[in-house]
Amino acid sequence: MAARYDVIVIGAGISGMYQLHRLRGLAVSVRVFEAGDGVGGTWYWNRYPGARFDSESWTYGYSFSDEILRDWEWSEHFAAQPETLRYCNFVADKFDLRRDIEFGCRIKAAVYDEAAGEWEIESEDGRRARARFLITAIGPLSAPTMPTIPGVESFRGEAYHTGRWPHEPVSFVGKRVAVIGTGATAVQAITEIAKTVGHLTVFQRTPNWCAPLHNSTIDAATQARIKATYPEIFARCRESFGCFIHDADPRKALEVSPEEREAFFAKLYREPGFGIWMGNFRDVLINEEANATITEFMRRKIRERVKDPVVAEKLIPTNHGFGTRRVPLESGYYEVYNQPNVRLVDLRETPIERITPAGVKTTDAEYEADMLIYATGFDAITGAFDRIDIRGGGGRRLREKWAEGPRTYLGLQIEGFPNLFTLVGPHNAATFCNIPRCIEQNVDWVTALIAYMRDRGHTRVEPTPEAERDWLEHVHDTGRRMLFTQVDSWMMGINSNVVGKDKRTFIVYAGGAPKYREKCDAVAAGGYVGFTFR
Ligand code: NAP
């Protein structure tokens, strides 16, 4: 017998926790199903050394509760994973969230029962539950991918994927450690591991443009100032493209003098956080010539910081300009390559042939290792959906509907999948955002829609095919001018380790959070234009 609720939420990360809290306010019955044994989502799973966010801590926490804002103190401007996980647990305690969450419960299927007007979910261990509404809060980067390299199973040493890092401490002292990957995760992990490792080998396929994080602790005076100005901080985030405190400079890179440009880049390089990416001249992410100016600046920085010129050249990206892939923020990453016990292997010159029992075999050598770390990323945004067998009206599979790329309305609902809401799903501004800021918007919007339906006695909501088609067109329009759409990365749905994810696909919304919010608000204000109710 399946347990029955009004609403089922899948996932107890930042979005699932807040969704639960808001639904309690509607006095509906809610059950949250979470694969992990604790709350926190991304912060529960990504325990790899060096993990921390690139958002200013005081812009990342929930904004909805004055009590949380008053009682919680971030210790650093960019908090590390253990602190953020503690924060999630603090929030769960504060609102007594755990009593409505079922932990250790990975959902494998969700099927819409048209006759009953209900979703039925099933977990891997056979638990079933039913509800009128199903809300996925499964995160954009929660489906880790292992490389499809032969021999992975044969390795005899310790092996970890960064997104499934063990809960027990892992020591690198005196060990030969190999890391595969050089994305944002690897850049953090490598920098931390290099501090204690015996010998480190980094296997790099595509270098990224990394910029300094400039993290620091928050002193008492700053803490007081932050607490006193939370409304202003969140208001500033609301108005910026990605809900960061950084927003594009009104000037264009090409309309200022070379000296002024250089001085501005140097200033951004010295400052903490994503300013150099989000707060740069307004044309650097859309105009190739403008982009070339910051790219050249970053190239020089790598050459200045890495002593061996051959290694420096290997670390310089050649197939994309600065900011057209997710910019990893670093705290001494380039200097790691000046250590005598660190070696960089360029997989463009010598690709990996296989993993062997002793280590990694490339086309020119076998690199022995005691530990292999896969920092090989995620099947982004749609991957977590693909891993659940989601079937809507008439048994239609979501995986099939999205075979050529996602189709949604507002990135929150899908035609043919009534009463299903996809928080931080594809084509939703949250995927390109200081994510809790956009999560709160998503959750508030979905909660308001459920309240609207309850007040009017509606039991079923679904977008029209026309609304979905128009949204898709809008998503493509907003992305077209952005340089990142011309580059391979997870932001364009590329993952070399997943069958069928080899073509660039618009999976994110690139219109910016303010425009997205405006669109969502207009839909709601017009009586949920583009939706049909029953
Ligand atoms: P990622 O950016 O997708 O990087 C994966 C890395 O593994 C890439 O360097 C990739 O090379 C390499 N790789 C994958 N398969 C491989 C193979 N078969 N052989 C050799 N190399 C292979 O993943 P990520 O670093 O985990 O980051 C994902 C996202 O998570 C980030 O972009 C960011 O949005 C988020 N994140 C955020 C933070 C933060 O807030 N500070 C920290 C970490 C992650 P190619 O590039 O050649 O494919």
Side-chain angles (χ1 to χ4, degrees), residues 5 12 17 20-21 23-25 27-33 39 89 91-103:
Y5 306 95
M17 287 166 64
L20 168 59
H21 174 70
L23 287 169
R24 279 183 180 170
V28 293
S29 64
V30 195
R31 195 76 179 155
V32 181
F33 293 88
V39 296
N89 279 289
V91 174
D93 288 342
K94 190 73 99 188
F95 295 107
D96 190 17
L97 295 179
R98 288 189 201 81
R99 69 182 152 89
D100 289 321
I101 306 174
E102 223 156 297
F103 291 104

Side-chain angles (χ1 to χ4, degrees), residues 190-515:
I190 287 164
T191 310
E192 195 58 30
I193 292 166
K195 292 176 184 167
T196 55
V197 76
H199 187 276
L200 177 64
T201 310
V202 176
F203 293 90
Q204 169 188 271
R205 190 165 63 185
T206 313
N208 284 299
W209 297 105
C210 311
L213 173 66
H214 296 304
N215 187 27
S216 59
T217 54
I218 299 178
D219 60 39
T222 310
Q223 190 76 258
R225 198 168 56 245
I226 289 168
K227 292 209 172 197
T229 55
Y230 267 128
E232 290 82 352
I233 291 168
F234 292 128
R236 188 163 159 201
C237 291
R238 240 178 104 77
E239 294 318 313
S240 81
F241 183 90
C243 292
F244 285 89
I245 52 159
H246 315 282
D247 206 6
D249 190 275
R251 295 167 297 166
K252 289 183 172 177
L254 300 171
E255 66 190 22
V256 303
S257 70
E259 295 72 28
E260 197 177 333
R261 203 161 50 222
E262 177 75 12
F264 185 54
F265 291 157
K267 171 180 169 293
L268 292 173
Y269 200 79
R270 279 194 307 270
E271 289 177 349
F274 269 146
I276 198 155
W277 192 23
M278 309 274 177
N280 215 311
F281 292 115
R282 70 183 161 96
D283 52 349
V284 297
L285 301 179
I286 49 180
N287 175 313
E288 273 186 52
E289 219 185 313
N291 184 266
T293 62
I294 178 67
T295 298
E296 175 51 28
F297 176 89
M298 298 302 286
R299 196 178 287 126
R300 270 190 278 126
K301 286 290 166 196
I302 299 174
R303 287 182 183 145
E304 276 167 33
R305 290 174 60 183
V306 180
K307 287 191 188 131
D308 181 336
V310 176
V311 176
E313 290 316 300
K314 288 188 202 300
L315 287 165
I316 293 175
T318 52
N319 65 353
H320 67 282
F322 174 80
T324 61
R325 296 175 114 212
R326 207 290 199 168
V327 174
L329 293 186
E330 49 83 27
S331 306
Y333 175 66
Y334 289 114
E335 286 69 20
V336 164
Y337 296 97
N338 297 333
Q339 289 182 208
N341 62 341
V342 176
R343 176 176 193 150
L344 179 67
V345 176
D346 187 341
L347 299 178
R348 291 166 304 182
E349 291 168 3
T350 56
I352 297 178
E353 282 183 342
R354 60 182 303 110
I355 305 296
T356 68
V360 181
K361 165 100 178 62
T362 68
T363 48
D364 82 328
E366 182 174 6
Y367 298 85
E368 293 192 355
D370 304 306
M371 187 191 296
L372 243 174
I373 297 176
Y374 298 100
T376 44
F378 302 89
D379 186 355
I381 303 176
T382 50
F385 289 91
D386 291 345
R387 290 183 187 191
I388 303 174
D389 185 14
I390 300 176
R391 280 180 272 159
R396 190 164 173 212
R397 283 204 152 83
L398 184 60
R399 236 178 262 156
E400 277 154 30
K401 168 151 182 167
W402 284 1
E404 300 300 316
R407 299 174 64 87
T408 76
Y409 183 37
L410 304 175
L412 283 169
Q413 262 228 309
I414 306 154
E415 182 265 326
F417 295 77
N419 294 2
L420 169 67
F421 297 103
T422 54
L423 304 176
V424 306
H427 294 176
N428 175 319
T431 50
F432 224 34
C433 188
N434 183 7
I435 201 160
R437 301 282 63 76
C438 288
I439 282 173
E440 286 183 340
Q441 181 274 344
N442 270 203
V443 168
D444 290 344
W445 196 90
V446 167
T447 309
L449 174 49
I450 292 176
Y452 174 91
M453 291 176 67
R454 187 197 54 185
D455 296 348
R456 285 161 184 75
H458 297 315
T459 56
R460 190 182 193 276
V461 61
E462 186 184 347
T464 64
E466 296 73 32
E468 193 173 86
R469 187 201 55 215
D470 293 350
W471 185 252
L472 186 68
E473 223 174 270
H474 172 61
V475 167
H476 282 220
D477 283 347
T478 60
R480 242 184 287 278
R481 68 195 195 114
M482 308 293 288
L483 292 175
F484 84 86
T485 60
Q486 297 160 31
V487 171
D488 286 352
S489 79
W490 68 256
M491 298 192 297
M492 286 304 291
I494 299 283
N495 188 317
S496 68
N497 303 308
V498 181
V499 177
K501 303 240 165 144
D502 54 354
K503 281 196 304 287
R504 286 184 204 149
T505 313
F506 281 83
I507 57 169
V508 302
Y509 177 81
K515 183 184 277 176

Side-chain angles (χ1 to χ4, degrees), residues 48 52-54 141 147-149 180-186 188 205-206 325-326 347 375-378 490 496-497:
Y48 63 86
R52 67 176 69 245
F53 44 55
D54 292 334
L141 295 158
T148 49
I149 304 171
I180 301 180
T182 48
T185 297
Q188 292 183 329
R205 190 165 63 185
T206 313
R325 296 175 114 212
R326 207 290 199 168
L347 299 178
T376 44
F378 302 89
W490 68 256
S496 68
N497 303 308

